[in-house]
Amino acid sequence: MYTKTYVAGIQLNATFSDGSETFTVDSEGEEIRGRLTSHVCTLQGGIVAYKVTLNDGTVSLLSNRSEDEFLTPMQVLSIDHLNLADNGASTLRSPSSLGGYSTIGGFQYAGDVLFSSTATLNFGGPVSSTVLDGSLANQQLANSSESEYHQSFTDPMPVMLDALRDIAFRASVRAAKDNASLPDAAQEVPYTGTDERTVYVTDRRYLAAAAVISLVSVAAVAATLWGWWELGREVSGSPLEIAKAFGAPLFDSMGSNVPWDKIPKEVAREKIQYGERVERGGRRSSFRDLGRPGQLIFERDGDVKNPTAGELYGE
């Protein structure tokens, strides 16, 4: 069995026009000249310490990439044999490993799916056009100039690095969950937790003012009822009892001292309405027809009509 160990990784390549120089067409109209910016990053496997936050069972990265602590580089084994050797947690399998899966290849595949994108300028003189293929080119388009030669893009490298960083972090958490026997699958780490609780604090000044207002309100209402005992009978203050006390004709057939709880029973068979009183004299007419102000009163349905907006009613 032949084994070779080396350091491998993923290479991200972003070539784009940042708008610093406008594309031009030569005098013969056959060639476009311009300047492109190329940004290349090579990612290497390793053991990294992240700052995270845990909220309701969901873990998220708390810091940006510059605050990650790169602890140990990970070597990648390429083993040209069906039986792969187990070299511990410090190794990763490369895409060329036979007879097994590829850790690096999985991240490379994810990167291809997410970031493979192109912007193609099709030169056709006055009918030139730019074709954007893939989501990344559309996301990073910095302007949409009318001229195809003036279009520019922002550097997509930070977007790609942040996305792969998040994928690598979540893949490592899931790998530890699915393989609890791996070294350092379970870790004890110090943390700072927060908990929100509602605490009510009494402001005695507002409490005293509210109490005074409440007592004044009670006293104001009590003043209108003061002397109720001099009525000589039990009262309820219900609208029907008040209407009877003020001589509503509807209650003329009742005794003047009918208990308040008997009044609803006496009028239960009557359909009553609060409205403008109608005088009956040969024809149905209102007080206003007789040259007098109308009067609002509780009365049997048919002896009153709905009040008229804007009208003045008398006593």
Side-chain angles (χ1 to χ4, degrees):
M1 182 179 68
Y2 172 70
T3 302
K4 58 181 179 180
T5 302
Y6 59 97
V7 176
I10 302 173
Q11 187 178 82
L12 301 177
N13 189 338
T15 302
F16 57 97
S17 171
D18 60 6
S20 59
E21 183 175 325
T22 303
F23 285 88
T24 59
V25 183
D26 65 3
S27 58
E28 298 179 0
E30 297 180 353
E31 186 179 67
I32 299 177
R33 296 188 179 92
R35 176 179 296 177
L36 296 176
T37 300
S38 181
H39 190 172
V40 179
C41 281
T42 299
L43 305 183
Q44 176 185 341
I47 299 176
V48 181
Y50 297 105
K51 294 181 180 179
V52 300
T53 179
L54 183 63
N55 185 20
D56 292 334
T58 302
V59 62
S60 304
L61 292 169
L62 182 61
S63 59
N64 53 43
R65 283 180 282 108
S66 62
E67 297 183 48
D68 295 343
E69 186 178 356
F70 195 75
L71 302 178
T72 306
M74 301 286 284
Q75 291 181 333
V76 180
L77 295 184
S78 175
I79 306 174
D80 299 325
H81 195 275
L82 292 178
N83 297 320
L84 300 177
D86 183 4
N87 289 272
S90 62
T91 60
L92 296 173
R93 293 179 179 179
S94 73
S96 62
S97 300
L98 299 179
Y101 57 84
S102 167
T103 307
I104 293 295
F107 289 108
Q108 180 178 351
Y109 177 76
D112 286 341
V113 172
L114 293 174
F115 310 131
S116 291
S117 186
T118 59
T120 304
L121 174 59
N122 296 319
F123 177 65
V127 292
S128 299
S129 63
T130 301
V131 178
L132 304 180
D133 181 26
S135 62
L136 191 62
N138 287 273
Q139 294 173 7
Q140 302 305 121
L141 182 63
N143 64 2
S144 55
S145 174
E146 295 181 359
S147 172
E148 302 296 333
Y149 311 127
H150 291 79
Q151 289 185 344
S152 61
F153 299 82
T154 56
D155 188 355
M157 190 60 69
V159 175
M160 294 190 290
L161 292 176
D162 287 338
L164 285 177
R165 171 176 177 258
D166 191 73
I167 293 174
F169 166 69
R170 298 191 180 280
S172 64
V173 173
R174 185 55 188 253
K177 179 181 179 181
D178 294 343
N179 301 275
S181 59
L182 293 176
D184 296 326
Q187 302 179 31
E188 294 185 2
V189 296
Y191 74 96
T192 300
T194 59
D195 184 22
E196 294 184 359
R197 297 185 180 182
T198 302
V199 178
Y200 295 94
V201 179
T202 301
D203 190 321
R204 299 185 182 277
R205 295 171 299 176
Y206 290 105
L207 175 62
V212 169
I213 293 174
S214 298
L215 293 175
V216 170
S217 301
V218 172
V221 175
T224 64
L225 303 176
W226 188 258
W228 59 268
W229 58 88
E230 297 180 3
L231 295 176
R233 54 166 286 168
E234 185 178 355
V235 295
S236 66
S238 73
L240 292 177
E241 187 178 20
I242 294 174
K244 183 179 183 305
F246 282 88
L250 175 66
F251 305 101
D252 288 344
S253 60
M254 301 181 191
S256 61
N257 199 31
V258 176
W260 64 269
D261 58 339
K262 297 295 181 63
I263 296 177
K265 299 177 182 178
E266 294 289 338
V267 298
R269 295 182 296 273
E270 299 283 355
K271 185 177 181 181
I272 63 174
Q273 179 183 348
Y274 180 74
E276 181 181 351
R277 186 176 182 180
V278 175
E279 285 290 322
R280 295 184 179 276
R283 65 183 180 87
R284 192 165 183 259
S285 60
S286 66
F287 274 59
R288 194 179 304 102
D289 297 331
L290 302 176
R292 290 178 289 172
Q295 184 182 23
L296 296 176
I297 195 171
F298 273 108
E299 188 55 277
R300 295 177 181 86
D301 184 34
D303 291 339
V304 294
K305 65 179 183 178
N306 293 333
T308 305
E311 294 293 336
L312 178 65
Y313 293 95
E315 297 180 357

